[in-house]
Amino acid sequence: MAPNNNQSVPPVPILSENRHSGIPANLADKANAAKARVWKNKTFSGITQRQGELPVLPPGIERQKFNAAIDELKQLLGPEHVVINDKPLEDGWYLEHPNTHDAFHLFDPNDTVSSAAVYPGSTEDVVTIVKWANRYEIPLWPISMGRNLGYGGAAPRVRGSIVVDLGKRMNRVLNIDPEQCSCLVEPGVSYYKLYEEVKKSGYPLMIDPPDLGGGSVLGNAIDRGVGYTPMGDHFANHCGLEVVTPTGEVIRTGMGALPGQNGADNPTWQAFQYGYGPYVDGIFSQSNFGIVTKMGMWLMPETESLTFMATFPRDEDFEDIIEIIRGLMVRRIMGNVPQLRHVIQELAVTGKNRKEFYDGQGQMPRDVIRKHASKMTCGDCGWVFYGCLYGTPRAIQESLEVVKSEFSKIPGVRFLFPKDVPEDHYLHSRARVCAGIPEIRELEWLNWKNNGSHLFFSPICPTKREDARRVIDIAIRVHREYGFDLFPTFCIAPREMHLIVNIVYDRSSQDEKRRAIAAIRKMIDECAEAGYGEYRTHILLADQVMHTYSWNGKSLLRFHEQIKDALDPKGILAPGRNGIWPRKYRGQGWELLGKGRETSTPEKSKL
Ligand code: EUG
């Protein structure tokens, strides 16, 4: 297909213009510029034509039955709220992401596609949809915002599932409580939107955004995503859920189960996480056990912060850096989620194509990275640390002294503060994220390749020198073998680290897609053998990851399956999500456990 570099780039949707998934007006210029850079690196249309009869049907559902079911759903919800997926598949971009398939496909884009999208406007609508799905045994795939890029986007694991797009019509911030420092949100509230609503409220509160602000606050928390302030563990800082179960009951967790006076919400729903009895919130995170329609989230009282960057000269400083960081973090001298990145990411986050640095095939050689880094703000170094200190100006200065003296044990360390770096340096964007202001900068890595797409490899390891070395060595070796540049980011907590490896590939290339998936499969296996597992993964790798959590003959997976079968006897809710399959799918080849086939669907299934 012809490149469309000369075409003008359509402007991004704006949040205030009634687009829940849009960009705030004040970030629109940045977003349009970022999009233009991506368009410059586009060498194919990003639109995939469809094959065969449409829409793609869910397994075991005949077309006549499907059409009758859809007619009924249209009657139940209003025809305008049910949309059949029968158009060409447009990959779009971050702000115009599709809810029809995975924009960053690893297989054929036609593989993990939905049959339709349905847009509920209320919890009652969600109940209606769930009961309808049980009647017809049609699988549902709920999404909040449907971003989750690098992990499958909005795509359903089972072809032909109906995407329940919660965010489009359920996107209100229902409450902000300035005394309890909390809020109550619906699935369609992005970090961009929550930030704007908090600002509008005038209350002195801060939110905790992840690297990109377009994701759903609710969706990110229940997928156990991470941000960078002291409240960076999003699931740990949620408080209270409203959930529609797979058979259409509505429950509220924690204190929400105790009715407030005269029918009001319970006044401690967003204040005390546990309520009474078993703490069930956990089973609605990274699962297919319920559809979360409301979530409470704690907010941080506004505070001063100082974001800084420290560069360490040698790649081999790595283990010593990790030890020092742990010491600072377990003592809570650093109380947020700092990042440690390899210097190559300073090149990538400029938004330039790798060709501008290096025009050879395979990995960019270390001396080429060095040559370019030497001319940049970071200078010739191995690792770059982005941290942030919080509190009163005095407390910040005191902590900074300790951080400086600890890091100075590594010869050649350099500290840089926002005032020291050019206006377009990434440190400023980091400082905003750490101060609770959602950003869009992190997307720049995608320009590394033409038609840049990414896949996250996200293992957890202890914040300790030997473990960190073992995990990074696996990533180094496998990336070398498969010819990908290695982009490691450690998101660090006191006791463990999330290593996020961003595999950037050209999605117009079958070969790159195959190598990306082969590389991640190998890293998952090798890490598991060494005792390290992923905290989150792409929908097509969920089975492999879930099966690495195999202690005592995979007894935990069997426990999940028991819960699944009890809660969802018809197996309608997000089959295969997080590697959990309903009974009727099990043992028929749905599980994607290793290399081999390049489709999500088994050849023979009795469904
Ligand atoms: C990032 C962090 C994540 C994740 C995906 C991306 C950040 C990349 C800590 O979790 O899951 C710079």
Side-chain angles (χ1 to χ4, degrees), residues 203-215:
Y203 300 135
L205 295 170
M206 274 169 66
I207 72 162
D208 181 289
D211 294 87
L212 292 166

Side-chain angles (χ1 to χ4, degrees), residues 151 211 225-226 228 339 341 426 430 442 445 456 458 489 491 498 500 502 535-536:
Y151 291 125
D211 294 87
V226 173
Y228 299 99
Q339 286 191 349
R341 303 176 164 212
Y426 175 66
R430 229 35 252 159
E442 210 64 44
W445 309 32
F456 287 129
S458 315
T489 299
C491 301
H498 293 40
I500 307 296
N502 200 352
Y535 98 99
R536 186 175 179 187

Side-chain angles (χ1 to χ4, degrees), residues 69 144 290 579:
S144 296

Side-chain angles (χ1 to χ4, degrees), residues 175-326:
N175 189 33
I176 300 176
D177 185 324
E179 283 108 13
Q180 288 182 346
C181 300
S182 67
C183 63
L184 182 67
V185 296
E186 292 187 318
V189 177
S190 67
Y191 293 94
Y192 293 138
K193 175 156 179 172
L194 183 59
Y195 174 76
E196 299 227 317
E197 296 288 312
V198 167
K199 284 287 139 204
K200 259 190 251 166
S201 77
Y203 300 135
L205 295 170
M206 274 169 66
I207 72 162
D208 181 289
D211 294 87
L212 292 166
S216 157
V217 175
L218 183 155
N220 185 282
I222 62 169
D223 222 30
R224 301 201 294 259
V226 173
Y228 299 99
T229 78
M231 298 176 82
D233 180 344
H234 291 161
F235 192 70
N237 286 289
H238 95 282
C239 192
L241 300 176
E242 179 182 271
V243 183
V244 176
T245 72
T247 48
E249 299 285 335
V250 186
I251 62 172
R252 287 186 173 184
T253 68
M255 296 308 294
L258 197 156
Q261 224 175 6
N262 302 321
D265 291 350
N266 189 285
T268 33
W269 194 18
Q270 271 67 69
F272 182 56
Q273 291 170 312
Y274 308 129
Y276 181 75
Y279 179 62
V280 298
D281 290 42
I283 71 165
F284 299 112
S285 72
Q286 289 196 0
S287 80
N288 47 17
F289 299 160
I291 301 179
V292 181
T293 49
K294 292 185 180 70
M295 182 188 75
M297 190 80 193
W298 289 338
L299 300 168
M300 201 161 93
E302 218 165 54
T303 172
E304 303 277 326
S305 63
L306 175 65
T307 298
F308 63 95
M309 145 184 190
T311 64
F312 300 94
R314 290 163 298 273
D315 291 353
E316 304 75 49
D317 291 329
F318 177 64
E319 286 96 324
D320 292 338
I321 302 170
I322 297 295
E323 290 293 300
I324 291 171
I325 293 172
R326 187 190 63 248

Side-chain angles (χ1 to χ4, degrees), residues 106-107 111-112 157 455-459 474-475 477-479 481-482 484 501 503 512-530 532-534 537-548 579 581 589-601:
L106 288 163
F107 292 165
D111 187 83
T112 46
R157 173 62 180 82
L455 172 63
F456 287 129
F457 170 59
S458 315
I474 291 170
R477 186 164 34 74
V478 174
H479 274 63
E481 182 183 341
Y482 287 89
F484 286 109
V501 177
I503 306 175
E512 291 221 358
K513 294 209 281 194
R514 264 196 287 272
R515 279 192 284 126
I517 201 160
I520 198 171
R521 285 207 180 287
K522 187 157 186 175
M523 291 190 289
I524 291 168
D525 279 345
E526 290 202 11
C527 279
E529 233 165 274
Y532 308 105
E534 285 63 51
T537 201
H538 191 281
I539 54 165
L540 294 172
L541 298 155
D543 292 310
Q544 189 188 351
V545 167
M546 182 53 92
H547 282 253
T548 63
W581 291 94
W590 284 91
E591 297 88 346
L592 269 171
L593 286 175
K595 47 198 169 300
R597 72 169 199 255
E598 290 179 26
T599 70
S600 58
T601 314

